[in-house]
Amino acid sequence: VVVAGAGLAGLRTVEQLRDRGFGGGITLIGAETRPPYDRPPLSKKVMAGVIDDTSLPFDPGALGITARLGEAACALEDGVLRTATGGAYPFDALVLATGSEPVRLPGPGAQRTLRTLDDALALRALLRPGLRLAIAGAGLIGAELATAAVAAGAQVTVVEYAPAPMLAAVGPDIAAVMTRWYADSGVDLRLATGVSSVEDGGLALADGSWLAADEVVTAIGARPRLDWLDGSGVHTETCVLTTERLETSAPGVFAVGDCAAYLSGRYGRRLRFEHWDIALHAPEVAAANVLGGSEVFDPVPYFWTEQFGRMVQYAGLHSPSDRLVWRGDPAEAKFGAFWLDADGRLTALLAVGVPKDVVQARRLLLAGRAAVDPDALADPSVPVRAAALTG
Ligand SMILES: Cc1cc2nc3c(=O)[nH]c(=O)nc-3n(C[C@H](O)[C@H](O)[C@H](O)COP(=O)(O)OP(=O)(O)OC[C@H]3O[C@@H](n4cnc5c(N)ncnc54)[C@H](O)[C@@H]3O)c2cc1C
């Protein structure tokens, strides 16, 4: 078995193959020279200066695998994976776990991104009182970086194309709450503002104005790199397309993590998430199916983000038409918000500082969309599990 991509999803695939008793050869191919490491802490504890190293436990000898780090897969043909350094790896099964890469803005000026440990260490070294930092994008990474940068005394401006932060993920009501977090933290958040180009010394904005900056960080999203799969028989659109069993259109080729969109029976469509939880769990299913199983990957999506001193957790998947039920006051340090569909069934929740509500709601979501009593949900003194209606 060959695994392309030595991030969390690639490493987990290797571990799962061994945990499931596979005794054959495994080669793990990773473009980065570093052994596998975790990314969520890069914009949190690493950026805050609390830790420098996010390595995942990795012992190729104990796993009995061949690790080829610093080698990028560059072509796939006739059951052989080729790498840019001239390697050729025949396989019976291949798992694609190549993640995604930050999207960049147009323009000749210097722009940084935050994807790798080296990106994080270099960026952290620049943070200082008075630094004029412009961040393009008020998503998860933009918000977390802004949090660390203001704590370091930087003057932070975040430019967001949409009318609110994280709008697509959390909807307008929660996004309005998040907008206030920026202001309360002293971050200048400019909404509905496009960037025309990155120039030396700042950003040329779409409205014709100029934003001066000492450093520019682009955090407008990430996309899988797919050009190397051209002609391979692996069907791609903006990502690698898989079945519910995480198989691609090419025989014996599977895909997991950020690079893949899987067919979800639960939601009736293909889904791609850049969520740590997906990279952790999809490899369990991929490994089982590489070994001849027929397991289905269909989780309740989950992500968290730590921004402006708050732990934010989201589970499920809501539609814009779902009804929102608040649990507690969103102006307070702790609150929740639940989405219910037209039949009164729970579709998703977002919780700030109340992890126990998340645990209970995830159980309800996993069990199938439970009908819930909105009044009970709205009352923080009633446990979330007790809001489920039975019968
Ligand atoms: C700064 C940051 C903060 C985050 N915070 C959160 C969070 O708070 N909560 C959350 O849920 N998620 C978070 N995420 C998302 C989460 O980290 C990702 O979903 C997860 O890392 C995806 O794992 P992966 O293994 O699929 O991809 P990756 O981690 O991207 O690993 C893929 C690896 O494959 C390598 N590769 C790429 N192309 C090739 C090739 N052709 N050949 C060989 N190797 C290749 C890459 O170099 C990379 O090392 C964060 C991500 C970042 C960047």
Side-chain angles (χ1 to χ4, degrees):
V1 177
V2 171
V3 178
L8 176 64
L11 173 60
R12 283 280 292 170
T13 301
V14 166
E15 290 172 346
Q16 282 293 312
L17 286 166
R18 288 295 184 236
D19 283 357
R20 287 163 194 269
F22 178 60
I26 301 178
T27 305
L28 177 65
I29 295 168
E32 294 183 68
T33 48
R34 287 182 190 279
Y37 59 89
D38 219 7
R39 291 185 204 278
L42 301 181
S43 46
K44 305 175 183 70
K45 285 188 170 167
V46 172
M47 207 49 63
V50 178
I51 55 171
D52 298 331
D53 181 8
T54 67
S55 299
L56 295 162
F58 178 58
D59 183 344
L63 284 165
I65 66 162
T66 303
R68 307 291 304 191
L69 302 178
E71 271 193 58
C74 70
L76 172 58
E77 56 198 9
D78 301 330
V80 180
L81 183 87
R82 297 188 188 280
T83 63
T85 45
Y89 302 93
F91 58 84
D92 298 311
L94 169 68
V95 181
L96 303 173
T98 47
S100 49
E101 289 186 351
V103 177
R104 301 178 76 84
L105 286 164
Q111 57 183 305
R112 296 175 176 276
T113 54
L114 178 46
R115 182 80 197 173
T116 67
L117 180 56
D118 290 338
D119 293 341
L121 294 175
L123 201 46
R124 186 181 76 187
L126 295 168
L127 299 182
R128 58 173 164 78
L131 176 85
R132 293 171 308 165
L133 177 66
I135 302 172
L140 180 155
I141 291 176
E144 294 185 348
L145 174 59
T147 302
V150 284
Q155 285 175 36
V156 183
T157 305
V158 177
V159 179
E160 168 59 52
Y161 185 76
M166 294 194 60
L167 189 59
V170 300
D173 303 275
I174 304 289
V177 174
M178 290 178 157
T179 301
R180 294 198 287 275
W181 298 349
Y182 283 79
D184 293 349
S185 306
V187 176
D188 179 3
L189 174 63
R190 306 205 189 162
L191 297 169
T193 304
V195 176
S196 298
S197 69
V198 183
E199 303 288 334
D200 285 339
L203 294 176
L205 301 178
D207 62 6
S209 63
W210 172 251
L211 173 62
D214 302 313
E215 294 290 337
V216 171
V217 178
T218 302
I220 58 172
R223 298 279 171 276
R225 195 170 160 190
L226 303 166
D227 50 350
W228 69 278
L229 290 169
D230 287 351
S232 67
V234 173
H235 190 189
T236 62
E237 283 175 2
T238 53
C239 52
V240 179
L241 305 182
T242 80
T243 64
E244 60 273 56
R245 294 182 170 74
L246 305 177
E247 303 154 306
T248 73
S249 53
V253 182
F254 297 75
V256 289
D258 276 15
C259 71
Y262 64 93
L263 207 53
S264 166
R266 189 186 293 275
Y267 298 108
R269 60 194 151 111
R270 213 175 235 120
L271 296 171
R272 179 176 95 89
F273 297 103
E274 291 167 19
H275 294 173
W276 184 89
D277 199 59
I278 298 278
L280 186 74
H281 292 298
E284 295 161 5
V285 171
N289 294 342
V290 162
L291 302 179
S294 158
E295 289 191 13
V296 166
F297 183 64
D298 204 7
V300 170
Y302 167 79
F303 74 89
W304 84 100
T305 166
E306 296 165 39
Q307 37 184 281
F308 307 113
R310 294 167 178 87
M311 168 59 114
V312 181
Q313 295 169 284
Y314 177 98
L317 193 60
H318 72 274
S319 306
S321 57
D322 289 349
R323 168 185 173 198
L324 188 69
V325 175
W326 295 100
R327 179 173 169 90
D329 180 353
E332 298 291 327
K334 297 180 177 193
F335 70 93
F338 293 76
W339 285 268
L340 273 52
D341 68 12
D343 299 324
R345 291 171 190 280
L346 184 64
T347 57
L349 91 151
L350 178 135
V352 175
V354 272
K356 78 171 183 318
D357 284 2
V358 181
V359 173
Q360 293 182 20
R362 279 179 91 178
R363 281 200 195 115
L364 294 180
L365 289 163
L366 262 176
R369 293 185 190 176
V372 283
D373 173 359
D375 294 333
L377 270 188
D379 181 350
S381 70
V382 178
V384 169
R385 64 171 173 274
L389 299 172
T390 49

